[in-house]
Amino acid sequence: MQPHDAGASARKTDAGEPEQRLTDGHVGTLVRERPREHQGAMAHTLHLGALLALTGGALDAYGFIRYGVFTNAQTGNFVLLTISAARGRWQHALRYAPPILAFVGGVLTVEALKRPRLAALFRHPQRAALLLEVVMLAGVGLLPGGTPDLLVTALIVFTSSVQFSAFRTLVDTAASTTMTTANVRTAAQNVYLALVDHDREAARRARHFLVVIGVFLTGALAGAWLTALLGTRAIWIAAALVAVCLLRNLRDERQGRAGSTA
């Protein structure tokens, strides 16, 4: 592993693409080293990522058990839509369209929060995203029993998309708290680098990603159990978890400011 050039703002990756640094308020792709003075704050970011992954797993299990659609990863919904269409079951195929559109809506919402006018109102887009997620999940739990399933699933997918779009970095590496495929790839890659190249940073990243993957699976297991036990009200557990994430975000920021001024 080549030494990191502290004087460069970006460098080339194996694919020839620039490897961006992680800067405050922006998501980078892969940063090899952490500034020593911010290690404490970054460790707390791992805790926040784990809490978000717990929520992501619970929401995915809730959505699939209650409504038969994937609320996080839309690949499954795309596949189910095309299979139903290929079989001529157009009405069944259309049930997967609202979640996909809701996911797009969540992405656009997070992007809108970064625009200058909205940024002036919401100085912390991630915090605004978490607050929006808490309100919407709590609201879903209050919907009457006769509410159409398509509306309920669309609202849940929207909140999952907001989380997916607002939190895309685990400590210093691109990651997801709402799905695991990319996380498994990153974990496997870093385990290989740690074992073969004795790369300490890779070993650290591997540990972090294995934790998040395990927590996501735990959330899915707990979500399945709570959904069977509580039914619709299980969504409030997810809302409470996001509220804890919001409090954790506030705490991490305060500790980060304290560390930077020390």
Side-chain angles (χ1 to χ4, degrees):
M1 178 172 135
Q2 295 183 353
H4 180 75
D5 183 0
S9 60
R11 60 174 178 163
K12 296 291 184 179
T13 63
D14 293 339
E17 295 295 329
E19 181 173 344
Q20 301 292 337
R21 286 178 181 272
L22 177 65
T23 58
D24 187 24
H26 295 80
V27 176
T29 52
L30 179 61
V31 180
R32 291 289 183 181
E33 295 185 8
R34 299 178 296 169
R36 292 183 181 275
E37 64 270 23
H38 294 302
Q39 286 182 359
M42 288 183 174
H44 290 115
T45 302
L46 172 62
H47 297 157
L48 176 60
L51 282 169
L52 288 169
L54 187 69
T55 306
L59 280 177
D60 222 12
Y62 176 88
F64 191 81
I65 291 173
R66 293 285 301 176
Y67 306 105
V69 298
F70 295 99
T71 58
N72 291 352
Q74 296 307 300
T75 302
N77 290 332
F78 271 108
V79 171
L80 293 173
L81 185 152
T82 54
I83 290 174
S84 297
R87 293 175 175 175
R89 302 172 60 190
W90 296 104
Q91 186 174 359
H92 190 266
L94 288 176
R95 68 179 296 192
Y96 300 107
I100 294 171
L101 294 175
F103 187 88
V104 174
V107 174
L108 297 179
T109 298
V110 173
E111 290 303 312
L113 289 173
K114 301 175 186 177
R115 306 301 296 178
R117 289 185 179 180
L118 287 179
L121 297 175
F122 304 99
R123 296 178 57 188
H124 304 279
Q126 288 186 331
R127 196 174 302 165
L130 288 173
L131 181 59
L132 176 62
E133 196 172 350
V134 171
V135 172
M136 293 200 68
L137 291 177
V140 168
L142 294 173
L143 292 175
T147 304
D149 289 354
L150 289 179
L151 175 59
V152 177
T153 56
L155 292 173
I156 297 173
V157 170
F158 178 85
T159 59
S160 295
S161 176
V162 167
Q163 179 176 315
F164 171 78
S165 302
F167 297 89
R168 294 182 292 171
T169 302
L170 176 63
V171 180
D172 58 5
T173 309
S176 172
T177 59
T178 59
M179 54 194 78
T180 59
T181 303
N183 293 343
V184 171
R185 184 202 65 81
T186 302
Q189 178 189 39
N190 283 283
V191 167
Y192 176 85
L193 293 174
L195 294 176
V196 176
D197 295 340
H198 306 289
D199 187 333
R200 292 185 179 180
E201 285 296 295
R204 174 184 61 80
R205 287 191 296 271
R207 289 194 299 271
H208 289 176
F209 275 83
L210 290 173
V211 166
V212 169
I213 292 168
V215 170
F216 183 91
L217 295 176
T218 301
L221 178 63
W225 179 74
L226 289 170
T227 301
L229 181 67
L230 301 175
T232 305
R233 291 174 295 176
I235 199 73
W236 287 337
I237 305 297
L241 286 173
V242 179
V244 173
C245 291
L246 179 59
L247 295 175
R248 188 81 205 196
N249 181 268
L250 291 167
R251 177 180 174 182
D252 286 350
E253 182 184 348
R254 284 197 298 268
Q255 292 187 347
R257 285 202 303 263
S260 62
T261 57

